[in-house]
Amino acid sequence: MSNVSGNRYLKEKQAVYAAPGVKSRRNIIILSVIGGLILLIVAVVVPIYFAVIKPHSHKNESASGSTGSSSGSPSSTGAPTPPKAAIVTGGDGSTITLDDGSTMIYSNKFGGSWYHDPSDPFNNAAQAQSWSPALNQTFHWGTDRIRGVNLGGWLTTEPFISPALYQKYPGTVDEWELSAAMAADTAGGGLGQLEDHYKTFITEADFAQIAGAGLNFVRIPIPFWAIETWSGEPFLAKTAWTYFLKAIGWARKYGIRINLDLHALPGSQNGWNHSGRLGTISFLNGTMGLANAQRSLDYIRIIAEFISQPQYKDVVVMFGITNEPQVPFIGQENLQRYYLQAYNVVRNAGGVGAGNGPLISYHDGFAGLNNWAGFLPGADRIGLDYHPYLCFATQTSDPMSANVNKPCTAWGGAMNDSMTAFGFTAAGEFSNAINDCGTFVNGVGQGTRYEGTYATGGPWPKIGSCDSWINWQSWDATMKNNIQSFALSSMDALQHWFFWTWKIGNSTTSGTVESPAWSYQLGLQNGWMPTDPRSANGVCGNTDPWSGKLPASATGGSGAGNIPASATSSIGWPPTAISNAADPTLLPQYTQTGPIPTLPVPTFSASGSASIDAGNGWANPSDTVGVAVPIASCSYLSPWVESAVAAPPACPTGAAARAVPRSQVTPAPRQ
Ligand SMILES: *[C@@H]1O[C@H](CO)[C@@H](O)[C@H](O)[C@H]1NC(C)=O
Ligand SMILES: *[C@@H]1O[C@H](CO)[C@@H](O)[C@H](O)[C@H]1NC(C)=O
Ligand SMILES: *[C@@H]1O[C@H](CO)[C@@H](O)[C@H](O)[C@H]1NC(C)=O
Ligand SMILES: *[C@@H]1O[C@H](CO)[C@@H](O)[C@H](O)[C@H]1NC(C)=O
Ligand SMILES: *[C@@H]1O[C@H](CO)[C@@H](O)[C@H](O)[C@H]1NC(C)=O
């Protein structure tokens, strides 16, 4: 989310619902009872089954998780009993074995089925709900509805989503500072604490719950340091990627599609804490603005090459190449140049046409949907990403009840219009917040606009106390109903959406969620989020919603990728001018001669897995250009330069790059 007025998002507080301890004890009891029943059934039924029924029928046992198919009859005559085939699929009520070895009962009232066969790990038979195409079927953009959640704050952290991480290191405001503080605290667990967070904040059980909640997509923010870091960057390098690989496996198991959202880019594309570093925008702005964009385009390429491989392309079907770049500082023309270049990079990895790599999702940069009408006509599978938030603009004293229909009028028509004027349009983020109440939603120590204590951007006249917006435990049925109505209005207005976010972690100070408006899971557990998101259909009373069909060219069909030259001739790469910087031909640039840090593929340990082809991380073998690295004879500013600097002297190589003084970050050796 962004925290500028207009659309933005926020911070976190901790969520709570049924006390987890109680819940897990109850689950254990339930599981024990069910386990006992299953044993009883197996003991009594299986012998009867094999003795009496099997010779006469041949039903497909694997469709239910309650009994396994067997490749041979049990025998009491001393003949060896062949091993039971593992159960690989199941629906509502089936027992799932999670990847940590524990089990849970799958709850999915919507006809969804999980599928997991360790000897066939790329099987895409799973289906999230009866109305969502199985992963091995075509998802029809614009026709099949996206009902999704973000897994925000997991692989890219944010103070308000996992406050406890930040509360341990008071004063840290972004992952840069958090990482540095953790690394200095070896006694407290060091930088490895981030991996502990990856391990625990989102697990396989969340994916099972998401499918059971009627949701069919997850948007997963990942940072560039999932790929690598450069010297001087304090982030935990490469580790997040291994958890993203787990997410692919879990999504595949439950039939959920992934929108991979590149959330944090070198130099920061928006200056917000969730970009990795709060402060200056050094992406397409300032002296290192071009170099940072070059480096970012290579990260986009590396990701696109991975997710376009046949093993992954039907799970990671959407790629948000850059989260929330700020047009007000970068300029829309340069963002368009960058978007076109990224389009070429992504399509080069997977090819053009349906099935060849992801739909490319472009954030609107806060320029407004209508300013993207007509962008890249004929482009193959592109989408516009909108993040509508009511909560960061002017605060209102209206109660929740007065807000329930606002999303309909605020966004319904705009989304509808954009589907025609631009093409596929989805809301990559929205929440239930109508004000900025919530721990760290406004930043460490900044206060809240609602309470009139926010430090910057005012004046913010005090509206009231945030307490009643934060203390969700005291919400009554009316309040919960009103929040649910607001959520349903939002879903109907947005049509294709990803709630921000699935989970908010507990605050250390209260032991509970302190930003309840931002947690889908908390709302489900406590009765203010819909148990069936289809109940949103039509609540806005929209008698004329967009019901068209996207042109074939926009969904990978005939004409896909035929962008008229007139639409691209004025937005070539690189830009001809960059905000707060010298002529781009005089700016530091990188050269594409570095070794490619290909992303690793998952490994499998099941017997027979040696023959499994997980790919080599690179879809297009003819894409052999190296990646952006410094020109050896030139020196550079830090990619994270904080302020304007004097024009650099000429680079001795005579390359386009010019030398500038070295600073604390040396963008050279890769880690
Ligand atoms: C927050 O703490 C409560 C109480 O211990 C627990 O039940 C709940 O699962 C926690 N929530 C999260 C999101 O971790
Ligand atoms: C998808 O998987 C299911 C279950 O294995 C299978 O029956 C179906 O034929 C598959 N569909 C396609 C299009 O491969
Ligand atoms: C843009 O870059 C200039 C020069 O580095 C810097 O002073 C300014 O703060 C940057 N703008 C933003 C919004 O960060
Ligand atoms: C939806 O868009 C279509 C086509 O632009 C338009 O005719 C219709 O009036 C719009 N409906 C709404 C509710 O905005
Ligand atoms: C972190 O980002 C969120 C979302 O943009 C914002 O609301 C909050 O103010 C930021 N916190 C800090 C300390 O900058």
Side-chain angles (χ1 to χ4, degrees):
M1 63 173 133
S2 55
N3 197 8
V4 175
S5 60
N7 345 345
R8 286 356 173 83
Y9 68 32
L10 294 185
K11 307 261 124 207
E12 61 186 17
K13 293 280 188 167
Q14 307 285 344
V16 176
Y17 11 99
V22 171
K23 197 171 172 226
S24 60
R25 275 194 302 279
R26 197 180 58 210
N27 285 349
I28 290 167
I29 294 168
I30 293 172
L31 287 179
S32 319
V33 171
I34 292 173
L37 283 176
I38 290 174
L39 283 182
L40 198 68
I41 291 168
V42 169
V44 174
V45 176
V46 169
I48 297 174
Y49 172 78
F50 283 109
V52 179
I53 303 176
K54 187 145 194 228
H56 308 294
S57 77
H58 195 77
K59 86 186 227 280
N60 177 13
E61 298 92 341
S62 68
S64 128
S66 59
T67 61
S69 60
S70 169
S71 52
S73 302
S75 164
S76 55
T77 63
T81 305
K84 279 196 169 187
I87 298 161
V88 300
T89 184
D92 187 38
S94 61
T95 299
I96 319 165
T97 302
L98 304 178
D99 66 358
D100 65 0
S102 65
T103 58
M104 68 182 268
I105 303 296
Y106 191 48
S107 174
N108 185 315
K109 308 301 177 202
F110 306 123
S113 59
W114 57 273
Y115 192 101
H116 179 65
D117 180 355
S119 66
D120 183 18
F122 296 113
N123 189 303
N124 287 333
Q127 185 170 17
Q129 301 88 25
S130 60
W131 64 81
S132 299
L135 297 177
N136 67 6
Q137 295 166 352
T138 303
F139 188 86
H140 298 96
W141 300 106
T143 306
D144 291 323
R145 294 281 294 279
I146 294 179
R147 298 185 178 93
V149 279
N150 283 272
L151 301 183
W154 180 35
L155 303 178
T156 312
T157 69
E158 263 188 82
F160 91 101
I161 303 178
S162 14
L165 279 181
Y166 285 83
Q167 285 165 330
K168 184 173 175 188
Y169 298 100
T172 54
V173 296
D174 54 31
E175 198 164 323
W176 179 294
E177 292 184 352
L178 180 69
S179 301
M182 284 178 166
D185 179 20
T186 46
L191 193 51
Q193 292 176 89
L194 276 169
E195 182 164 7
D196 297 339
H197 167 72
Y198 299 159
K199 257 182 211 153
T200 54
F201 188 62
I202 296 289
T203 65
E204 181 183 341
D206 290 292
F207 283 76
Q209 289 171 25
I210 287 167
L215 304 170
N216 59 5
F217 260 82
V218 287
R219 178 172 179 264
I220 306 184
I222 71 167
F224 78 83
W225 53 92
I227 301 172
E228 64 171 11
T229 53
W230 285 9
S231 168
E233 292 170 342
F235 305 112
L236 179 61
K238 302 181 179 180
T239 313
W241 179 253
T242 63
Y243 289 84
F244 186 77
L245 290 178
K246 289 181 197 289
I248 294 178
W250 298 331
R252 195 192 304 276
K253 181 166 175 179
Y254 298 99
I256 294 168
R257 289 175 169 81
I258 295 177
N259 173 1
L260 188 163
D261 156 44
L262 186 52
H263 211 75
L265 279 68
S268 179
Q269 74 279 18
N270 55 37
W272 287 312
N273 50 21
H274 46 81
S275 70
R277 194 165 194 190
L278 181 68
T280 308
I281 299 172
S282 291
F283 168 92
L284 290 178
N285 174 57
T287 303
M288 290 298 284
L290 177 56
N292 280 324
Q294 292 177 318
R295 189 177 162 200
S296 297
L297 285 163
D298 272 330
Y299 293 148
I300 289 170
R301 181 162 64 111
I302 290 162
I303 292 168
E305 286 286 2
F306 189 96
I307 65 178
S308 299
Q309 296 175 100
Q311 294 91 335
Y312 310 97
K313 67 185 175 63
D314 295 325
V315 178
V316 190
V317 298
M318 196 168 176
F319 182 12
I321 55 163
T322 298
N323 181 61
E324 297 188 344
Q326 288 216 54
V327 160
F329 302 104
I330 291 169
Q332 194 177 5
E333 179 189 313
N334 279 357
L335 192 58
Q336 290 182 342
R337 290 174 182 272
Y338 169 77
Y339 280 176
L340 173 58
Q341 185 69 1
Y343 172 87
N344 292 329
V345 161
V346 175
R347 288 290 160 253
N348 183 50
V352 170
N356 295 323
L359 178 131
I360 301 167
S361 176
Y362 293 128
H363 185 261
D364 79 333
F366 308 107
L369 295 180
N370 48 8
N371 281 318
W372 292 92
F375 180 59
L376 299 186
D380 178 27
R381 292 167 298 142
I382 60 174
L384 198 53
D385 177 18
Y386 187 50
H387 296 180
Y389 288 113
L390 297 178
C391 53
F392 295 101
T394 309
Q395 306 289 296
T396 164
S397 57
D398 291 349
M400 198 70 212
S401 57
N403 282 276
V404 298
N405 292 320
K406 274 189 188 166
C408 299
T409 46
W411 309 323
M415 295 297 285
N416 171 49
D417 292 346
S418 184
M419 290 292 287
T420 302
F422 170 87
F424 182 72
T425 306
E429 299 185 10
F430 73 103
S431 78
N432 288 332
I434 57 162
N435 56 50
D436 69 348
C437 293
T439 293
F440 296 156
V441 169
N442 269 309
V444 181
Q446 288 259 44
T448 76
R449 295 172 176 88
Y450 191 82
E451 290 184 333
T453 56
Y454 192 62
T456 56
W460 298 98
K462 180 179 169 82
I463 304 289
S465 163
C466 277
D467 291 354
S468 65
W469 297 98
I470 292 178
N471 298 333
W472 57 269
Q473 297 90 338
S474 52
W475 288 349
D476 62 12
T478 306
M479 177 67 165
K480 292 182 182 182
N481 286 341
N482 286 330
I483 297 175
Q484 179 154 176
S485 297
F486 181 86
L488 293 171
S489 299
S490 303
M491 292 169 182
D492 194 41
L494 299 172
Q495 298 284 308
H496 303 284
W497 48 261
F498 299 84
F499 188 88
W500 185 274
T501 182
W502 170 243
K503 186 184 287 188
I504 298 287
N506 286 328
S507 159
T508 305
T509 48
S510 65
T512 187
V513 173
E514 296 176 3
S515 299
W518 300 83
S519 177
Y520 201 109
Q521 190 190 46
L522 188 69
L524 271 181
Q525 290 165 331
N526 292 283
W528 69 77
M529 285 305 273
T531 52
D532 182 349
R534 292 174 304 170
S535 57
N537 292 355
V539 301
C540 284
N542 184 350
T543 54
D544 191 15
W546 191 83
S547 60
K549 202 164 159 22
L550 295 168
S553 62
T555 56
S558 165
N562 296 337
I563 309 174
S566 58
T568 57
S569 55
S570 63
I571 52 170
W573 186 257
T576 54
I578 287 184
S579 305
N580 301 302
D583 180 332
T585 62
L586 303 177
L587 291 178
Q589 294 188 35
Y590 298 131
T591 176
Q592 280 189 293
T593 55
I596 299 172
T598 307
L599 287 163
V601 301
T603 53
F604 302 98
S605 55
S607 68
S609 59
S611 61
I612 291 167
D613 176 11
N616 65 0
W618 206 256
N620 180 0
S622 60
D623 178 6
T624 55
V625 178
V627 297
V629 288
I631 297 167
S633 52
C634 303
S635 58
Y636 295 79
L637 287 180
S638 163
W640 304 88
V641 58
E642 293 289 333
S643 59
V645 292
C651 179
T653 64
R658 304 280 298 248
V660 293
R662 276 182 190 274
S663 71
Q664 77 276 18
V665 174
T666 311
R670 290 169 183 272
Q671 295 176 355

